Amino acid sequence: MSIPVQRIREICGDGNVITDPLELRTYECDGLTSHRSVPALVVLPGTASETAAVVRTCHDAGIPFVARGSGTGLSGGALPHESGVLIVMSRMRRILEIDPVSRRAVVEPGVTNLSVSKAVERYGLFYAPDPSSQVVCSVGGNVAENSGGAHCLKHGFTVHHVTGLEIVTPSGELTWLGDGTGIPSGYDLTGAFTGSEGTLGIVTKIVVKLTVSPEAVHTLLAAYATTAEGGRAVSDIIGAGILPAAIEMMDALAIEAAEAAVQCGYPEGAGAVLIVELDGPSAEVETELAMVRDICQRAGATEIRAADDPAQRAKIWAGRKSAFAAVGRISPRFIVQDGVVPRTSLPSVLARIAELSNQTGIRVANVFHAGDGNLHPLVLYHGDEDVAAAEEVSGAILDACLEQGGSITGEHGVGVDKSRYMPKMFDADDLDTMQLVRCAFDPASLCNPGKVFPTPRLCGEVPGTHRGPRPLPAGTELFLWRRNVRWYHPSPPLQAQQRPRNCCAPRLPLA
Ligand SMILES: Cc1cc2nc3c(=O)[nH]c(=O)nc-3n(C[C@H](O)[C@H](O)[C@H](O)COP(=O)(O)OP(=O)(O)OC[C@H]3O[C@@H](n4cnc5c(N)ncnc54)[C@H](O)[C@@H]3O)c2cc1C
């Protein structure tokens, strides 16, 4: 199998195709730098029809392909396939339409998140999903990851703000999912596509919902001796029926890093800081601010500051927004974890993280979206010698989240990094059902293969060039799905090489 380079050049133009080995290395990883793989070819299409033609070419030649936005993903979702084509969407960065009356905008996938809000500011509107990477990450990448951000506690995730998608299917057809109204008739395919991590096709246009800018915004910072006290304030705020736009927390190590990086002036000696942001009508915000202040005080706050002035609010946020990068000042390498727990379990999971850190000597800085129980422990390590220990701590943190009924990912996706943890959270039937969805879009398994799902399950996913037989458990009953054809094979099962190539084999019970 060889990549039809000439055909791809004809589609996108010579200048938009990269084959030089040195230049290809620019794309060898996303924000998760511990996984690297140089693609065979990089192409930067300029339009939806060019994207469709490139995908069709890959599909017809049986070449795997991976979409990439800005490459800020933290789970290796945009990790290239070494024998495949990396399709980079960053040239497609036009805001095509703004409709302030219907509060909708149509954007290309390479548009950066923050630029949508900037473009609609003059209408008193904003685009609510706000990952901390919003200055650079693309809306296409946000759709693929169903990205959140500090304010998704109140305003929701990307899926709540996308009402229609133009996509290129894995066989290269250009089509629309959703009609832009956000009210699906029939299956909600826009919802199914959002968060599918680039495995169901490539987004080429996005209809986004715009939100009216709030009349008032107040940001409150409360300092605590411990994260447990801060955690109590979080539960009490939500328990009082208040829904802040954001509730964020940082522990002592994260504060130390942020202070060194951006001099955010957080209270000295604090073991934890809580940032609570309230937005909405002025009267409501004023009332809730008084209640939140009181709750924070009763939970043991050593200092409370509140700001409604944009510059002062920005100063409070500066430490939190810079936290990931700032940690780089105290440790050259770190893993950003992304587990979720019920809010009430925050204290016990944080205690478990501290215990793991003490036992192993691996430092962990905690930054988290406390309001929705989304932890981002930053597991610090120095070099290759302690990477295994750091990964072990990182995995044990996910185990602790799962033990509390939580999840292995809140907003960064599964990608290549967490696929091995999927069987801890989902049983075989769950995974097979998910495979069915994937196979309905991509029966050939060429679109971002090797991501989300654990090691090849039967013939559903065939990474690299491996085509040999794979032993199957004796007595396995196989359903082989290929487009809409279904075969039933009683045991003994077929050997892999006898099966139709690229089929998916969910292990479902007989109907
Ligand atoms: C400092 C920092 C802070 C961050 N903070 C947050 C945060 O607060 N909240 C949060 O949710 N995330 C956060 N992230 C993670 C990351 O920014 C998001 O996942 C973001 O949505 C990725 O966008 P991207 O354009 O960089 O996508 P990429 O990294 O390029 O790709 C991500 C995934 O999307 C797929 N993809 C990209 N474009 C398309 C397309 N057009 N069609 C189909 N699939 C596509 C890729 O195949 C891949 O699977 C942070 C990352 C960093 C580095």
Side-chain angles (χ1 to χ4, degrees):
M1 250 183 322
S2 65
I3 296 181
V5 185
Q6 195 43 43
R7 173 73 192 120
I8 292 176
R9 283 190 206 282
E10 282 162 20
I11 295 166
C12 296
D14 275 359
N16 299 310
V17 175
I18 299 172
T19 51
D20 175 69
L22 212 57
E23 286 182 53
L24 288 174
R25 289 202 62 180
T26 312
Y27 298 94
E28 68 182 356
C29 65
D30 60 8
L32 182 75
T33 54
S34 51
H35 292 260
R36 290 168 193 262
S37 165
V38 180
L41 182 133
V42 169
V43 57
L44 294 94
T47 63
S49 48
E50 283 182 16
T51 310
V54 169
V55 170
R56 214 162 30 245
T57 304
C58 290
H59 175 266
D60 293 349
I63 303 289
F65 54 91
V66 177
R68 177 178 164 119
S70 305
T72 66
L74 290 170
S75 56
L79 185 77
H81 191 289
E82 63 185 2
S83 325
V85 174
L86 187 72
I87 305 177
V88 180
M89 306 306 288
S90 53
R91 281 181 64 223
M92 293 175 60
R93 49 166 181 258
R94 287 176 304 159
I95 294 179
L96 299 168
E97 203 183 310
I98 296 172
D99 180 348
V101 178
S102 311
R103 294 184 201 152
R104 294 282 188 274
V106 183
V107 306
E108 288 188 326
V111 166
T112 56
N113 174 293
L114 189 61
S115 56
V116 181
S117 285
K118 283 194 173 153
V120 301
E121 202 176 3
R122 62 184 186 278
Y123 303 110
L125 300 169
F126 72 110
Y127 178 54
D130 65 338
S132 303
S133 51
Q134 66 182 156
V135 181
V136 281
C137 68
S138 72
V139 180
N142 296 171
V143 169
E145 298 288 6
N146 187 22
S147 294
H151 294 83
C152 64
L153 173 64
K154 177 173 180 179
H155 295 292
F157 283 75
T158 300
V159 71
H160 303 116
H161 299 273
V162 168
T163 60
L165 295 171
E166 183 191 66
I167 66 157
V168 174
T169 67
S171 57
E173 286 160 66
L174 203 53
T175 188
W176 274 92
L177 306 178
D179 60 3
T181 61
I183 305 161
S185 3
Y187 293 119
D188 178 11
L189 295 179
T190 313
F193 196 98
T194 308
S196 60
E197 305 192 25
T199 61
L200 304 185
I202 300 186
V203 184
T204 45
K205 281 187 194 75
I206 303 136
V207 186
V208 296
K209 215 189 272 182
L210 303 170
T211 305
V212 177
S213 302
E215 188 186 352
V217 185
H218 271 274
T219 309
L220 177 143
L221 180 142
Y224 291 93
T226 64
T227 50
E229 288 172 329
R232 195 172 328 126
V234 174
S235 294
D236 291 349
I237 291 168
I238 301 290
I242 301 167
L243 184 59
I247 311 185
E248 299 287 302
M249 207 183 328
M250 293 164 69
D251 73 0
L253 194 52
I255 297 168
E256 179 194 322
E259 204 58 63
V262 294
Q263 294 81 49
C264 44
Y266 289 166
E268 233 170 87
V273 293
L274 193 65
I275 298 172
V276 184
E277 188 152 281
L278 296 157
D279 69 10
S282 297
E284 180 185 303
V285 170
E286 291 293 343
T287 308
E288 290 187 340
L289 183 68
M291 290 168 74
V292 169
R293 193 187 273 274
D294 189 42
I295 290 169
C296 289
Q297 200 79 65
R298 275 189 279 122
T302 52
E303 187 175 335
I304 294 180
R305 299 173 190 167
D308 60 352
D309 166 74
Q312 288 172 357
R313 287 184 35 239
K315 179 132 188 178
I316 290 179
W317 275 111
R320 169 60 187 91
K321 292 264 177 182
S322 68
F324 288 3
V327 162
R329 295 175 77 98
I330 58 171
S331 174
R333 295 165 83 180
F334 58 90
I335 299 167
V336 181
Q337 201 34 288
D338 174 40
V340 185
V341 292
R343 266 187 300 268
T344 46
S345 302
L346 279 173
S348 59
V349 173
L350 288 170
R352 174 73 185 130
I353 294 174
E355 189 181 82
L356 285 166
S357 177
N358 289 338
Q359 280 166 1
T360 58
I362 298 274
R363 292 188 302 164
V364 182
N366 286 292
V367 178
F368 45 106
H369 306 302
D372 36 21
N374 188 186
L375 298 157
H376 290 318
L378 306 168
V379 182
L380 317 187
Y381 64 102
H382 282 270
D384 293 341
E385 66 287 354
D386 50 5
V387 63
E391 281 191 350
E392 206 168 307
V393 168
S394 182
I397 291 173
L398 289 185
D399 288 340
C401 293
L402 289 174
E403 276 160 26
Q404 298 292 328
S407 161
I408 59 169
T409 175
E411 55 181 9
H412 295 169
V414 177
V416 74
D417 187 42
K418 290 194 179 166
S419 55
R420 65 189 186 278
Y421 298 110
M422 288 287 272
K424 290 190 173 190
M425 189 163 162
F426 298 104
D427 67 17
D429 290 342
D430 290 337
L431 292 171
D432 287 343
T433 307
M434 290 183 213
Q435 279 279 23
L436 283 177
V437 177
R438 181 178 191 162
C439 294
F441 280 80
D442 182 24
S445 291
L446 292 173
C447 187
N448 210 3
K451 311 291 166 63
V452 182
F453 293 97
T455 22
R457 290 185 52 73
L458 311 178
C459 59
E461 186 108 80
V462 188
T465 51
H466 176 79
R467 290 284 185 275
R470 200 167 278 124
L472 298 172
T476 307
E477 290 167 343
L478 285 179
F479 281 91
L480 303 180
W481 291 74
R482 193 178 198 188
R483 296 190 187 274
N484 56 356
V485 182
R486 190 170 72 162
W487 295 270
Y488 169 59
H489 294 272
S491 55
L494 289 178
Q495 288 300 300
Q497 78 271 33
Q498 294 173 273
R499 291 184 222 128
R501 205 188 134 254
N502 291 329
C503 67
C504 303
R507 201 175 52 75
L508 288 181
L510 267 176

